[in-house]
Amino acid sequence: MSPQNLDSLTQAVQERFADTPEPRLKEIMVALVKHLHAFARDVRLTEAEWFQGIEYLTAAGQKCTATRQEFILLSDVLGLSMLTVAMNNDKPPGCTEATVFGPFYVPDAPHYENGDDVANGASGQPCLVRGTVRGLGGEAIARATIEVWQADDEGHYDVQKEDLPHAQARGVLYSRADGSFDFKTIVSEAYPIPTDGPVGALLQATRRSPWRPAHLHFMLKAEGYETLITHVFRKECVYMQADPVFGVRESLIADWKLLPDGATLLEFDFVLNPTR
């Protein structure tokens, strides 16, 4: 097929979406065809490579479960997740920055009161977390929903473990009237993202590290404010510069201070952006 016919093929495929009633869907599909075809031409994709790609995506789908999302993990390591986050979370200066969601969030986590231990038996060194939730103008946000989740000191989230009788190291609590919150948990440790699936094979083939820097996941919601999905990273972690999912932001790095009683203290204040 000549180069002219190749271009004609791309145009023909794009024209098949001409009657798409939803304008945004039409825009996305036409652009997707354009860039997919351009990629194939740019690298001169062979039939064998195309089929290998199909097998890879099939394997990624087969690896997905209710508690394991291999496609999110693939999007993460390709930087697509973080690119999407950055494009859609252009917040005013002073707001807490967003970062990637990650593949291990699950809904319906147990609810806790301030001061409770959300670790709920997860292994790790004791840690006290406290801070405030405020708006961009400095106003305290009462009853903000604070969801938190993390891995244990072996690098595993509770959903990666079989036959665990209850959730561990994840929970939901609410800010007080003055915007403050606090809870007990365990110290966050660095861990490798799962390497037993197609994403792990990709990292191994490209000689990339799977190690994520130590972090604690947060999702905050409050009426009148944009939802914030973010991490707080542990400052002294050696993997900060090589995060395989590109999620580190300087403003999200914090000191985790050792207390006299042997526990660790993390203090972090969140600033939410008002709904536009």
Side-chain angles (χ1 to χ4, degrees):
M1 185 175 284
S2 68
Q4 291 78 14
N5 287 337
L6 290 176
D7 291 337
S8 298
L9 173 62
T10 300
Q11 184 178 352
V13 177
Q14 291 176 310
E15 289 173 353
R16 294 294 176 91
F17 295 101
D19 296 329
T20 304
E22 172 54 49
R24 179 59 174 164
L25 176 60
K26 177 181 177 180
E27 178 186 7
I28 289 173
M29 293 308 302
V30 169
L32 177 64
V33 170
K34 173 185 175 181
H35 292 292
L36 278 176
H37 285 216
F39 162 74
R41 283 194 289 266
D42 186 39
V43 302
R44 298 196 62 82
L45 193 68
T46 69
E47 290 180 271
E49 290 165 341
W50 169 82
F51 192 71
Q52 188 175 13
I54 296 296
E55 289 182 323
Y56 184 87
L57 293 176
T58 301
Q62 291 170 339
K63 196 66 178 178
C64 294
T65 68
T67 57
R68 166 77 177 268
Q69 235 301 350
E70 193 76 2
F71 279 113
I72 289 181
L73 201 59
L74 179 58
S75 175
D76 288 348
V77 303
L78 293 177
L80 182 59
S81 299
M82 195 60 225
L83 177 61
T84 304
V85 168
M87 289 191 301
N88 289 277
N89 287 272
D90 185 16
K91 302 179 186 297
C95 290
T96 304
E97 290 189 275
T99 191
V100 293
F101 200 35
F104 293 115
Y105 170 80
V106 293
D108 302 320
H111 286 238
Y112 293 94
E113 298 294 329
N114 278 285
D116 285 349
D117 182 6
V118 305
N120 201 15
S123 60
Q125 295 298 311
C127 181
L128 172 64
V129 180
R130 67 188 182 200
T132 59
V133 184
R134 298 190 176 277
L136 187 57
E139 69 278 11
I141 302 178
R143 295 294 296 175
T145 303
I146 304 167
E147 292 197 58
V148 59
W149 65 101
Q150 69 176 109
D152 61 20
D153 62 357
E154 296 179 343
H156 297 131
Y157 289 82
D158 55 357
V159 294
Q160 294 177 280
K161 300 179 178 181
E162 295 182 1
D163 301 323
L164 196 64
H166 52 71
Q168 290 185 334
R170 72 172 68 239
V172 181
L173 61 151
Y174 300 91
S175 60
R176 300 184 180 91
D178 62 355
S180 67
F181 68 89
D182 66 88
F183 59 90
K184 300 181 184 72
T185 185
I186 52 175
V187 175
S188 294
E189 304 286 355
Y191 64 86
I193 62 174
T195 57
D196 60 339
V199 172
L202 175 64
L203 295 182
Q204 184 177 15
T206 54
R207 300 297 187 268
R208 286 178 54 185
S209 170
W211 282 86
R212 291 220 67 199
H215 62 276
L216 186 56
H217 292 265
F218 285 91
M219 180 163 64
L220 293 92
K221 299 179 180 179
E223 185 176 356
Y225 297 88
E226 295 178 358
T227 295
L228 173 67
I229 297 170
T230 194
H231 303 356
V232 178
F233 293 91
R234 192 173 161 195
K235 185 176 182 179
E236 64 270 23
C237 185
V238 298
Y239 297 105
M240 204 68 71
Q241 302 302 318
D243 184 8
V245 307
F246 309 97
V248 177
R249 291 294 176 266
E250 189 69 29
S251 66
L252 302 178
I253 301 173
D255 285 319
W256 300 52
K257 302 174 183 177
L258 186 64
L259 299 176
D261 64 359
T264 297
L265 171 64
L266 167 63
E267 294 181 296
F268 197 88
D269 297 326
F270 296 94
V271 179
L272 303 187
N273 193 31
T275 303
R276 298 173 186 175

